[in-house]
């Protein structure tokens, strides 16, 4: 049902992941391309979604973003959203050349940071025939202002400038924790309690390749990233957006505001939970079948 795969990007970086063969399908099949969010790796529960989609008759390509997990790329821990967008499109190109894919029936799935990426990819790349964006980042700047106190924001920008000067002088990029480990007062890129609970909870044993650090430049690029600006241009590609109503990481009200800007065909799924709850339990039991239905309806 699942095999290890790898493919090379246009700039020569090898990305590694899994291909899930669809149950009950012989020959070329519809495919969903998936990657994870900010710093996360494929073992952070993407296999659960992929297995559900494959059991429902969809092929799935899941891969680790460059510089993370099993994929190559340096500097390690560098998260460049526009490079990840380009890599999604390379993944589609590679997959469409495989004998197990029907290139006219390709969908994309993203969650959190990559939930923003798929908005961009779907707007730009008409090979995409359906998209699911789960608990997406829609505005880096507005979201950062929710996560970072106003009196600390100037200091963060000063740190960006100092890091830029240091890199220009030949020094290694500065690093920052993704989540605090013990003390909520620790400086972290995603400074919320549920981020700590997710990455240091039971899923940690499933994802031993994850590292609790990214480059500070990754945070600067996060602040500058505005994927929601593309949402109105996705149509006529069908768009499903999954919102966690209690999400304070990629805040729910912003996502709902941007969803209203999207044109038909579109569908909204609202889960009465927080950001990371969307991956598990009752929320998964509700959301994953709805996502499968969306893909099956629009990928044929």
């Amino acid at each position: 049902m699942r095999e290890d795969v790898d493919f090379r990007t246009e700039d020569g970086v090898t990305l590694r992941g899994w291909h899930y063969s669809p149950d009950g399908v012989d020959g070329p099949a519809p495919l969903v391309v998936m990657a994870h969010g900010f710093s996360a790796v494929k073992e952070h529960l993407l296999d659960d979604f992929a297995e559900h989609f494959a059991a429902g008759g969809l092929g799935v390509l899941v891969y680790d973003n460059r510089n993370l997990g099993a994929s190559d790329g340096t500097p390690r821990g560098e998260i460049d959203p526009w490079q990840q967008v380009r890599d999604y499109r390379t993944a589609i190109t590679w997959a469409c050349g495989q004998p197990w894919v029907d290139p006219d029936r390709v969908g994309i799935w993203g969650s959190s940071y990559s939930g923003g990426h798929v908005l961009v990819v779907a707007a730009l790349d008409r090979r995409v025939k359906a998209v699911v964006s789960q608990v997406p980042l829609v505005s880096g700047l507005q979201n950062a202002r929710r996560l970072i106190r106003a009196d600390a924001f100037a200091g963060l920008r000063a740190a960006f400038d100092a890091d830029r000067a240091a890199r220009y002088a030949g020094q290694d990029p500065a690093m920052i924790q993704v989540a605090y480990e013990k003390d909520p007062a620790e400086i972290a890129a995603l400074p919320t309690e549920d981020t700590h609970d997710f990455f240091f909870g039971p899923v940690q044993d499933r994802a031993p390749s994850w590292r609790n650090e990214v480059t500070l430049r990754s945070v600067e690029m996060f602040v500058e990233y505005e994927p929601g600006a593309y949402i109105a241009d996705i149509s006529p590609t069908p768009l499903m957006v999954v919102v966690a109503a209690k999400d304070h990481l990629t805040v729910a009200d912003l996502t709902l505001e941007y969803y209203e800007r999207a044109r038909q065909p579109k569908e909204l799924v609202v889960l009465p939970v927080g950001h990371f709850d969307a991956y598990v339990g009752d929320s998964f039991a509700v959301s994953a079948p709805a996502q499968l239905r969306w893909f099956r309806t629009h990928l044929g």
Side-chain angles (χ1 to χ4, degrees):
M1 182 177 177
R2 186 177 91 181
E3 62 176 335
D4 293 338
V5 295
D6 62 76
F7 58 95
R8 292 178 67 81
T9 65
E10 292 184 9
D11 59 341
V13 175
T14 298
L15 305 183
R16 297 183 176 86
W18 303 314
H19 169 240
Y20 287 78
S21 299
D23 288 358
V25 179
D26 293 323
L31 182 78
V32 177
V33 177
M34 306 173 63
H36 220 315
F38 193 90
S39 88
V41 296
K42 60 189 183 299
E43 290 85 0
H44 282 125
L45 307 180
L46 292 198
D47 41 351
D48 292 349
F49 284 90
E51 288 171 6
H52 185 82
F53 296 158
L58 302 174
V60 185
L61 171 63
V62 188
Y63 66 92
D64 279 335
N65 288 304
R66 68 169 63 207
N67 309 329
L68 302 171
S71 290
D72 291 349
T74 57
R76 301 303 290 176
E78 178 97 313
I79 302 171
D80 180 338
W82 285 105
Q83 184 62 66
Q84 292 184 351
V85 164
R86 290 191 290 272
D87 288 344
Y88 254 102
R89 301 182 74 179
T90 298
I92 294 169
T93 300
W94 176 78
C96 285
Q98 304 308 306
W100 30 264
V101 175
D102 181 342
D104 294 322
R105 294 189 292 167
V106 174
I108 53 175
W109 182 101
S111 189
S112 195
Y113 211 33
S114 66
H117 300 346
V118 296
L119 300 178
V120 180
V121 175
L124 299 177
D125 198 324
R126 292 303 167 187
R127 295 175 299 175
V128 174
K129 298 304 188 291
V131 55
V132 171
S133 175
Q134 177 176 277
V135 294
L137 175 82
V138 292
S139 171
L141 181 58
Q142 292 186 73
N143 215 99
R145 290 193 178 280
R146 302 292 188 90
L147 293 173
I148 303 166
R149 295 195 328 265
D151 62 340
F153 208 84
L156 178 64
R157 289 199 179 278
F160 292 159
D161 294 342
D163 178 51
R164 187 177 295 276
R167 296 196 318 268
Y168 187 77
Q171 298 179 32
D172 291 337
M175 307 299 290
I176 185 173
Q177 292 186 120
V178 177
Y180 71 81
E181 293 198 33
K182 296 180 180 179
D183 184 351
E186 295 171 19
I187 295 174
L190 305 179
T192 66
E193 182 178 1
D194 57 347
T195 302
H196 165 271
D197 292 347
F198 176 76
F199 283 116
F200 293 106
V203 76
Q204 187 174 18
D205 291 336
R206 291 177 59 165
S209 67
W210 178 74
R211 296 292 178 265
N212 187 30
E213 63 174 10
V214 296
T215 63
L216 182 61
R217 177 168 47 183
S218 300
V219 181
E220 183 178 21
M221 288 187 282
F222 177 108
V223 173
E224 297 170 350
Y225 187 43
E226 297 293 326
Y230 289 81
I231 199 166
D233 298 320
I234 294 172
S235 178
T237 302
L239 166 67
M240 172 179 277
V241 176
V242 180
V243 176
K246 300 178 182 179
D247 194 337
H248 53 259
L249 185 60
T250 55
V251 289
D253 62 299
L254 278 180
T255 305
L256 293 168
E257 175 188 333
Y258 276 79
Y259 175 80
E260 292 304 315
R261 304 179 190 182
R263 300 184 175 96
Q264 297 291 345
K266 63 180 181 178
E267 183 174 328
L268 179 67
V269 176
V270 179
L271 305 171
V273 296
H275 184 86
F276 294 100
D277 299 316
Y279 297 91
V280 297
D282 292 342
S283 295
F284 176 87
V286 169
S287 181
Q291 296 174 29
L292 173 61
R293 170 186 52 78
W294 187 255
F295 280 129
R296 292 190 64 173
T297 298
H298 296 291
L299 298 182

